[in-house]
Amino acid sequence: MAIHLKLNTLYHCSRSFGTAQPCPSYFNLTFFHFHRHHYPFSKTILKHNSAASTVVSRRALLSSDAALFQDVGATVFLITGGYSLVSVFDNLTHRKIISQNLSRKLVHIISGLLFVAAWPLFSASPEARYFASLAPFINGLRLVVNGLSLATDEGLIKSVTREGKPKELLQGPLYYVLILALSSIFFWRDSPVGLLLLAMMSGGDGIADIMGRKFGYVKLPYNQKKSWAGSISMFTFGFLISMGMLYYFSVLGYFQFDWNLTAQRVAVVSFVATVVESLPTTEQIDDNISVPLATLVTAYLCM
Ligand SMILES: C/C(=C\COP(=O)(O)O)CCC[C@H](C)CCC[C@H](C)CCCC(C)C
Ligand SMILES: Nc1ccn([C@@H]2O[C@H](COP(=O)(O)OP(=O)(O)O)[C@@H](O)[C@H]2O)c(=O)n1
């Protein structure tokens, strides 16, 4: 009789615990399935395996608890951070230190980039991505409740809308947080596509607005509402932020890149996203949908 040890879910948590060790997903604890085969095995070996499996299962349970606490802590940090960010910019707008438009754009840039930068705080458990998505989903709920005027959070409305109308929360800001949530679920730390998508939406598109409003005297020939300064800024900063994000995650061990090839590919992705953002289609489709979509398709085709 042979013992065939089948571990249900084993996840190597190199980062979370500093050493590569088996770490099960906490909701999908490792269940040891013993399949008895008809091979001669002495009781001693059976006892040894049984004792060993008890040790491993205890360690697995401990590491799964640690992973759960780690993910809950990181989620609380993100949610708290999101609320704090909005209230800081509400304060700055209220005290007229910055304009409402600049406040919205800085929240647009900072929230998305810090959200992604915080992904390594989560454990290596398969469920970690869902915990991370809670922060944008909870903010989305907040945007819907205030956008439908079921509640009135003046600070939120002032710091993330153009004209201070609650209904505005149901457009750009809501699409934005939904893209954050979906990117963490479908791409997470497993694919550079999600990083590029958020770098272009948060960093590139956000900076295009700031630079375009400030220096956008020369308009684009095909779109009088957008300018060369805005688009060139989107391409340049979108590229740099994307490369910075890829470098950050590669230093943490999530990816390894051929940087020359990657730079060329990211340049193509940034260019396509910039062209899409410059098109006169904002009335039909929000930039917070068109830019991530263009980035996603181009990154899939060339990354
Ligand atoms: C203002 C925003 C989008 C509007 O975009 P646009 O219409 O100008 O193109 C961003 C809305 C952000 C949201 C209210 C808060 C999101 C917080 C995020 C999920 C978590 C950030 C955590 C970090 C540690 C600060
Ligand atoms: N490529 C771009 C993007 C924005 N902008 C400037 O930024 C303003 C807001 O751009 P937008 O309509 O894309 O703003 P959001 O939809 O991102 O909030 C535009 O009206 C332009 O003044 C630009 O000049 N060039």
Side-chain angles (χ1 to χ4, degrees):
M1 179 193 74
I3 299 288
H4 175 69
L5 196 59
K6 183 183 164 229
L7 302 183
N8 192 327
T9 307
L10 264 188
Y11 218 83
H12 287 285
C13 311
S14 54
R15 291 161 299 285
S16 313
F17 306 101
T19 55
Q21 59 175 347
C23 164
S25 64
Y26 32 76
F27 291 143
N28 189 15
L29 294 181
T30 46
F31 296 97
F32 294 82
H33 301 284
F34 289 89
H35 298 287
R36 290 174 179 256
H37 291 285
H38 301 292
Y39 299 100
F41 246 74
S42 74
K43 279 196 175 20
T44 314
I45 290 177
L46 269 180
K47 273 192 198 131
H48 172 71
N49 275 290
S50 165
S53 65
T54 306
V55 170
V56 170
S57 62
R58 278 212 191 104
R59 187 186 297 170
L61 283 169
L62 276 175
S63 61
S64 66
D65 286 347
L68 180 57
F69 286 125
Q70 182 177 346
D71 292 335
V72 169
T75 303
V76 169
F77 169 73
L78 281 185
I79 294 169
T80 312
Y83 273 72
S84 308
L85 182 75
V86 168
S87 59
V88 162
F89 280 94
D90 167 41
N91 189 281
L92 293 173
T93 312
H94 186 72
R95 289 159 61 190
K96 302 203 183 313
I97 294 173
I98 59 171
S99 70
Q100 193 163 335
N101 260 316
L102 183 57
S103 163
R104 189 181 93 247
K105 277 306 154 183
L106 290 175
V107 172
H108 175 119
I109 294 168
I110 296 169
S111 59
L113 296 183
L114 286 185
F115 173 66
V116 182
W119 283 2
L121 295 178
F122 289 83
S123 79
S125 162
E127 284 81 14
R129 66 180 70 201
Y130 303 107
F131 271 88
S133 70
L134 284 178
F137 274 132
I138 287 169
N139 277 279
L141 194 61
R142 190 183 173 201
L143 293 168
V144 168
V145 166
N146 284 275
L148 296 175
S149 301
L150 300 175
T152 308
D153 181 340
E154 287 299 340
L156 177 69
I157 295 167
K158 281 212 190 79
S159 52
V160 301
T161 61
R162 291 182 178 82
E163 295 153 24
K165 294 175 187 158
K167 277 204 177 305
E168 289 180 65
L169 296 175
L170 302 176
Q171 292 157 355
L174 183 58
Y175 304 146
Y176 182 93
V177 294
L178 289 177
I179 293 291
L180 292 183
L182 295 174
S183 299
S184 49
I185 292 171
F186 291 107
F187 296 107
W188 193 227
R189 303 178 303 217
D190 306 330
S191 161
V193 172
L195 306 182
L196 295 180
L197 186 155
L198 296 181
M200 291 310 296
M201 179 184 77
S202 301
D205 181 38
I207 290 171
D209 183 309
I210 294 174
M211 302 300 274
R213 287 177 193 272
K214 196 166 177 61
F215 304 109
Y217 314 111
V218 182
K219 302 300 183 189
L220 295 175
Y222 53 88
N223 186 354
Q224 291 305 302
K225 288 185 179 174
K226 302 284 174 85
S227 66
W228 286 106
S231 293
I232 291 168
S233 302
M234 175 165 179
F235 172 75
T236 308
F237 286 93
F239 172 79
L240 294 174
I241 292 169
S242 297
M243 290 300 287
M245 203 58 90
L246 293 182
Y247 180 72
Y248 170 66
F249 276 82
S250 69
V251 164
L252 293 176
Y254 292 98
F255 304 111
Q256 281 185 344
F257 295 110
D258 168 347
W259 289 107
N260 283 333
L261 185 59
T262 301
Q264 294 167 40
R265 290 171 168 173
V266 171
V268 171
V269 172
S270 304
F271 177 76
V272 171
T274 300
V275 168
V276 168
E277 190 276 341
S278 71
L279 299 174
T281 55
T282 308
E283 311 304 324
Q284 288 75 35
I285 179 169
D286 194 283
D287 287 353
N288 292 334
I289 295 173
S290 61
V291 168
L293 209 54
T295 305
L296 170 67
V297 171
T298 313
Y300 257 122
L301 292 176
C302 72
M303 285 303 278

